Every structure is written in C-alpha cells, then in structure tokens.
Amino acid sequence: DIQMTQSPSSVSASIGDRVTITCRASRGISTWLAWYQQKPGKAPNLLIYAASTLQSGVPSRFSGSGSGTDFTLTISSLQPEDLATYYCQQANSFPLTFGGGTKVAIK
Amino acid sequence: EVQLLESGGGLVQPGGSLRLSCAASELSFSDYAMNWVRQAPGKGLEWVSSISGSGSSTYYADSVKGRFTISRDNSKNTLSLQLNSLRAEDTAVYYCAKGLRLRGSYYYYMDVWGKGTTVTVSS
C-alpha cells in the first residue's frame, strides 16, 4: 500500500500569508494526487487533481505542484474562509489512501 | 448540479449489519465510478470502497474486505454499501463520493460528495 504523509499536521497563519502544505508518498505516484479541503462539520471538497489542476470553481489562490513522491499545496494569500483541514489523496493504485490531514488555523 | 444523498446509517450492535444507500440526482450515473469514504469521530478520511461505472470492478480497503460489499443499480441511480460483522472501529460518518471523469476516462479523484450518514457500532 502507498502511505501518504502530510506535514505539518497543523499550521496557524495570518490573513494574507502564504501557506504551504506538503504531502509525501511512500513510493512514486507520478502526478496521481488530489487535494481536498474539509471545513468543520462539512463534507470534503476537491480543490486540485492530477497534482496541479485546479478544480472548477476553486479560487486561484490555491495551487498544487509536485510529482513522484513529493507534493505541495499552496495558499498564496490566506483568507478567513480557508479555515479548514486539508487532505491529500493518491489515486495511483488501490487501495486509495489519504494523508493524515493538515489543520489550517487563522492567527 | 449533481447531488448525492446518503441514507441508512444508525446505531447497531457489534456483529450486526446495515445497508447504506446513496441516491444520485441529475447524473448519467453509469458514466462515473463511485466511492465510499468514512471518517471516524475526530479522525481523518479513510477510503472504504470503490466501484466502476458498470459495476464490474470493485475495490476494498483491507479493513473492510470480506465484511462490506459495494454495489450499484444504474437503472435507479443508486449506490449501496452492505456492512456486515460490524465492529466498534467501523463507527464513522460514511460519505458517498462521485469519481471524476475527464475526456471519457475514469479517475478516482472525488469531485462530488454527499453530506454523509452516521454509523455507530455500540452495545
């Protein structure tokens, strides 16, 4: 199975800050990676797929990069509505696996 | 706009069974792979099972293999998950999620999610 490791597990930043979350796969997954945002009490929402493709309707301050084993999600200018937990997910092979999540808080 | 609505959750004793359903609206249902993902209280997301658009291919997490069965009825736009031999560690919110499809290919990224249905396994 492919293990997905996210870091940090939590981050606190100010409005307007740049926030970067990393996700590492235990073996190469090319660009078969998605990022999801989950707000408290809500279902997850797809932000990015294929490592860097922005899902329709997602604000352009979100971006993704990486390939192989190392990936990043960047929020270029943190907004109050970005308070959420972010998860990566590999879609390279079954079993599909998620990272442990990164909780983003506003300072 | 595609919507997914889960149902069937509830309180069940260890060893018991439940059947979860997910109704999809406004969708060429058979064109999409479908997935179940769960989230235990205060924990992260855990993939449970996936099924291809035709239903011919199914996939399971090791933690549920042999106990859970995924199925779909494309004529009724419905996805199901049969949960047998339930354990306390199966307690979670269960989400139904639609797989992304682009240019005729299926992808197991999940672009539409239901609100979830809660399963509680306890005596």
Side-chain angles (χ1 to χ4, degrees), chain A residues 22-95:
Chain A
T22 66
C23 180
R24 175 164 289 176
S26 60
R27 60 179 171 89
I29 59 170
S30 185
T31 57
W32 292 101
L33 186 98
W35 289 98
Y36 299 88
Q37 175 193 64
Q38 186 178 33
K39 295 183 178 180
K42 301 294 186 182
N45 180 50
L46 177 65
L47 297 177
I48 286 168
Y49 61 91
S52 61
T53 302
L54 199 66
Q55 172 68 344
S56 176
V58 173
S60 58
R61 63 180 179 274
F62 292 94
S63 64
S65 64
S67 66
T69 60
D70 294 316
F71 302 87
T72 60
L73 172 70
T74 300
I75 309 172
S76 61
S77 177
L78 189 68
Q79 299 301 304
E81 60 267 32
D82 300 335
L83 166 71
T85 301
Y86 295 82
Y87 295 92
C88 61
Q89 176 232 327
Q90 66 83 15
N92 179 78
S93 61
F94 288 98

Side-chain angles (χ1 to χ4, degrees), chain A residues 32 36 38 43 49 89 94-95, chain B residues 39 47 102 107-110 114:
Chain A
W32 292 101
Y36 299 88
Q38 186 178 33
Y49 61 91
Q89 176 232 327
F94 288 98
Chain B
Q39 187 168 35
W47 171 76
L102 292 172
Y107 297 93
Y108 288 92
Y109 305 118
M110 302 169 210

Side-chain angles (χ1 to χ4, degrees), chain B residues 12-64:
Chain B
V12 61
Q13 292 188 338
S17 297
L18 276 178
R19 187 174 183 85
L20 306 183
S21 295
C22 172
S25 65
E26 300 184 41
L27 182 67
S28 298
F29 191 64
S30 62
D31 286 347
Y32 301 93
M34 296 296 294
N35 309 273
W36 288 99
V37 175
R38 68 184 181 184
Q39 187 168 35
K43 302 296 184 183
L45 302 174
E46 180 188 14
W47 171 76
V48 173
S49 184
S50 298
I51 187 167
S52 62
S54 66
S56 60
S57 297
T58 58
Y59 309 90
Y60 298 94
D62 285 346
S63 59
V64 307

